[in-house]
Amino acid sequence: MTTDRTTRDPRAGDLHPGLPSAAPRPGAAAWLALTVAEAKMVARDTAGLVVPLGMPVLILVMNGLAPGLDQVIPGTGGRTALDVYVIPLTLTLVVAMVGVVNMPSFLAYYRRSGILSRLGVTPASPALVLGAQALVGVAQILLGIALALGVASVWLGASAPARLGAAVGVLALTIAAMYAVGLLVAAVAPTPGSAVAIGLTAFFAQGALGGMFGPRQNLPDALETLGGRLPFGAAVDGLSAAWAGGAVPGQSLVALGACTVVAGAAAGAWFRWE
Amino acid sequence: MTALVAQHLRKTYRRRGRPPVVALDDVSVSVAPGEVVGLLGRNGAGKSTTVQLLAGARAPDSGRVRVLGLDPRADRRRVRGVLGVQLQGATLHGALTVRELVRLYRSFYRRGLDPDRLVERVGLGEARDTRFEQLSGGQQQRVSVALALVGEPRAVVLDELTSGLDPEARRSMWALVEDLRADGVTVLLVSHHMEEVERLCDRVTILDAGRVVATGTVPGLVERAGLRPTVTLRTDDPAAAGVLARLPVVGQVDARGPRLVVTGSAGPAGTGPDELLREVGSALARVGVVATETHLRRPGLDDAFLALTGSSSTLEAP
């Protein structure tokens, strides 16, 4: 025991020479590498592409075949019920499904399998991992929506939104809000199974109140008001207004923005590596 | 100055509906800069918990952790930049190839090793374009070692470095640790492979049921465990046992038929294995006793481990 080299220790509190003085944060290169890695993971898992790419087309076609949708809504520049009601609902449904249900279950699987705990002992921060995931997910959503709108305009005679800029803006805000909710679900869910359960609950609750199963006007007043202030209902209202050419309700924008900020901050604070 | 320090760590795992499990109870481990220290223990002894606390992946209930003088919880990013960690059984992005994974992890660090050369160095040159999920267990293990080293860390924690590796791959990993030592990298090697620890480590800390039972060099641990060398030999001469028992270097002689088991004497001076063999041989020669099948047994780390931890307890905790 005389060779014990720690006998000259005890000043363990001192910093070692040659340590970087500032804490270097992994930069753009790391973020890009992680995003490319996530994209490869998704692209090489073909089954995972069915929901974001196939579902929007399916929902739009199923809804678009209902009778009476070719009825022109007055004061919208010749847009039909399909344009003003079905398309906004479908787009919101897709974003909510991928953002609130799909993405958190993927992240929860990462956590369960140890991928996140491994990343947690590297300089990669939670924000880096979440950001890469979100970006790849958004790319899938946009691809899915583009495909759905393409099919709708060719076969169902759908029109472009009357206010294109407003539609793009509301869609972007919707994606941000739904992803924030999804990240919060991933942050608090203890297991992959519970991530799906919590995600589906959040999805159906706001969907039911937001007009997914029928007009929101049929709900009791209090629930109708609440539904319009949850991201799902707010997104449908906003997109519908943009397609019809009206002013996007300020209340929808506030609801989506507030949801993004609050849920996003909570997700960042509560995120765990394992 | 110490590179890795854990002082008086206590960690209790609480789960609803179950009694709390004390994973670590007053555990202290230290590794000096450039030193290779082994952390040895059975499954469930608290090795992996110690690793997680050192890496800052979990917080101790009480106690203090320092990595190159930094608190891994408070100064997370700086510690992650200089500490390489190989976690036991960590899964990685399964659809990525070996090369893609090593490059990905390289991008997290400001400076580091060349990914392609590192892949060659851990013996995965031919598997570099194979997806992680298609690798064998041993190959996956080597990827995780590569990822721990790609940021050119100043200190490394290797958890079960060679579990699941064939003897040849194991030796190449041992050579890698020798290279780390030559480069002055501080290494904490978590293992239950005695030969590995005995061969690579300057010092060893033995954990048992969440407590440190001993820390020291391998010869020091053998001495502390009160282990003595033995010489076994075969002779037909009935006088041999009496002659040997009178030697001062001999503590005990057991006769088992024609076979004698001669144990070295105890005490602080103790009898070295070579000294025992020499004294036994010359004593027998002086009285003209012919002995055959003479065999010297030096007590090793495995004997010391069993003696210090009690050999009966082989229960595996969760």
Side-chain angles (χ1 to χ4, degrees):
Chain A
M1 236 69 76
T2 49
T3 55
D4 187 334
R5 285 158 68 179
T6 56
T7 46
R8 58 188 157 83
D9 158 34
R11 290 163 50 238
D14 295 359
L15 286 189
H16 282 237
L19 275 181
S21 52
R25 187 186 281 276
W31 196 65
L32 183 66
L34 202 52
T35 306
V36 170
E38 295 295 341
K40 281 178 182 162
M41 283 289 283
V42 170
R44 289 172 189 177
D45 170 29
T46 23
L49 288 172
V50 170
V51 169
L53 297 190
M55 202 184 63
V57 177
L58 187 70
I59 292 174
L60 200 56
V61 170
M62 297 299 286
N63 285 330
L65 293 177
L69 288 178
D70 50 357
Q71 196 183 342
V72 172
I73 311 282
T76 61
R79 284 175 178 75
T80 61
L82 174 80
D83 299 323
V84 176
Y85 302 121
V86 174
I87 288 180
L89 185 65
T90 306
L91 298 192
T92 304
L93 200 66
V94 171
V95 176
M97 190 81 202
V98 174
V100 179
V101 183
N102 246 27
M103 193 266 306
S105 70
F106 208 64
L107 265 182
Y109 159 73
Y110 268 27
R111 179 161 56 212
R112 165 57 64 90
S113 68
I115 291 179
L116 289 185
S117 60
R118 183 63 190 82
L119 285 170
V121 295
T122 72
S125 68
L128 203 66
V129 180
L130 298 185
Q133 274 274 337
L135 193 68
V136 172
V138 168
Q140 292 176 67
I141 288 180
L142 293 181
L143 211 59
I145 285 177
L147 204 62
L149 290 181
V151 168
S153 65
V154 171
W155 280 294
L156 300 173
S159 312
R163 297 179 58 214
L164 183 63
V168 170
V170 172
L171 187 64
L173 206 51
T174 303
I175 291 173
M178 292 300 180
Y179 259 74
V181 173
L183 291 177
L184 183 57
V185 170
V188 299
T191 64
S194 67
V196 175
I198 297 171
L200 281 174
T201 307
F203 172 73
F204 280 117
Q206 58 169 325
L209 295 175
M212 187 162 71
F213 301 119
R216 213 162 70 224
Q217 291 73 15
N218 299 351
L219 294 170
D221 283 352
L223 290 181
E224 185 194 343
T225 310
L226 176 64
R229 286 175 188 171
L230 291 176
F232 196 103
V236 172
D237 289 351
L239 289 172
S240 187
W243 243 270
V248 176
Q251 173 197 307
S252 301
L253 298 178
V254 169
L256 290 171
C259 174
T260 307
V261 171
V262 172
W270 291 336
F271 191 78
R272 292 163 297 112
W273 294 107
E274 53 187 286
Chain B
M1 195 174 278
T2 311
L4 294 175
V5 192
Q7 285 172 328
H8 309 297
L9 296 184
R10 185 178 170 85
K11 181 72 185 174
T12 308
Y13 291 120
R14 292 166 208 286
R15 283 198 196 153
R16 256 179 294 167
R18 291 196 215 168
V21 177
V22 178
L24 297 182
D25 183 8
D26 194 23
V27 166
S28 298
V29 182
S30 67
V31 190
E35 196 182 21
V36 180
V37 168
L39 187 61
L40 197 60
R42 295 188 175 84
N43 292 334
K47 303 190 298 288
S48 291
T49 301
T50 307
V51 169
Q52 288 173 333
L53 298 187
L54 274 170
R58 289 172 188 271
D61 299 341
S62 61
R64 184 166 169 275
V65 177
R66 288 291 178 275
V67 174
L68 303 172
L70 300 167
D71 180 339
R73 302 282 296 174
D75 221 339
R76 185 179 175 277
R77 265 209 307 279
R78 264 169 103 189
V79 168
R80 300 295 194 279
V82 292
L83 176 70
V85 181
Q86 181 224 335
L87 292 178
Q88 195 189 344
T91 310
L92 301 165
H93 289 80
L96 298 190
T97 68
V98 171
R99 201 193 214 161
E100 287 168 342
L101 275 171
V102 177
R103 288 195 171 161
L104 173 64
Y105 276 68
R106 171 65 187 84
S107 75
F108 299 153
Y109 298 92
R110 201 161 54 159
R111 48 192 217 99
L113 303 174
D114 176 62
D116 289 344
R117 248 183 274 166
L118 180 58
V119 167
E120 290 286 341
R121 182 66 188 82
V122 297
L124 290 173
E126 295 190 358
R128 65 175 178 265
D129 293 320
T130 307
R131 290 186 189 188
F132 182 77
E133 62 203 0
Q134 289 161 353
L135 297 173
S136 72
Q139 288 173 317
Q140 293 188 343
Q141 177 84 358
R142 284 187 261 179
V143 174
S144 80
V145 172
L147 298 186
L149 302 180
V150 73
E152 222 179 342
R154 304 263 307 271
V156 191
V157 177
L158 300 169
D159 196 355
E160 302 293 352
L161 174 69
T162 58
S163 67
L165 295 189
D166 59 48
E168 194 187 341
R170 179 175 295 147
R171 270 162 208 281
S172 96
M173 285 295 138
W174 290 350
L176 201 62
V177 174
E178 295 293 359
D179 289 352
L180 291 174
R181 180 208 297 280
D183 291 341
V185 177
T186 302
V187 180
L188 180 68
L189 182 70
V190 179
S191 183
H192 54 228
H193 195 287
M194 301 291 170
E195 188 191 348
E196 177 172 299
V197 171
E198 200 159 0
R199 175 186 286 241
L200 296 175
C201 297
D202 303 313
R203 288 187 306 124
V204 183
T205 291
I206 297 180
L207 278 184
D208 191 41
R211 288 172 166 274
V212 173
V213 294
T215 294
T217 60
V218 171
L221 291 175
V222 168
E223 184 189 315
R224 172 150 5 145
L227 297 173
R228 292 169 284 162
T230 56
V231 171
T232 52
L233 53 87
R234 192 184 175 94
T235 176
D236 297 328
D237 195 322
V243 168
L244 292 176
R246 280 192 294 276
L247 290 175
V249 296
V250 170
Q252 193 181 344
V253 179
D254 295 312
R256 295 173 192 164
R259 195 177 293 275
L260 294 182
V261 179
V262 184
T263 307
S265 63
T271 306
D274 300 314
E275 185 191 5
L276 179 68
L277 183 63
R278 192 173 60 238
E279 292 291 319
V280 166
S282 56
L284 293 179
R286 272 198 304 276
V287 295
V289 170
V290 178
T292 56
E293 297 173 34
T294 306
H295 176 72
L296 170 67
R297 191 172 185 298
R298 301 163 192 269
L301 182 59
D302 46 351
D303 304 289
F305 178 79
L306 292 176
L308 290 166
T309 61
S311 57
S312 59
S313 156
T314 48
L315 283 178
E316 296 195 0

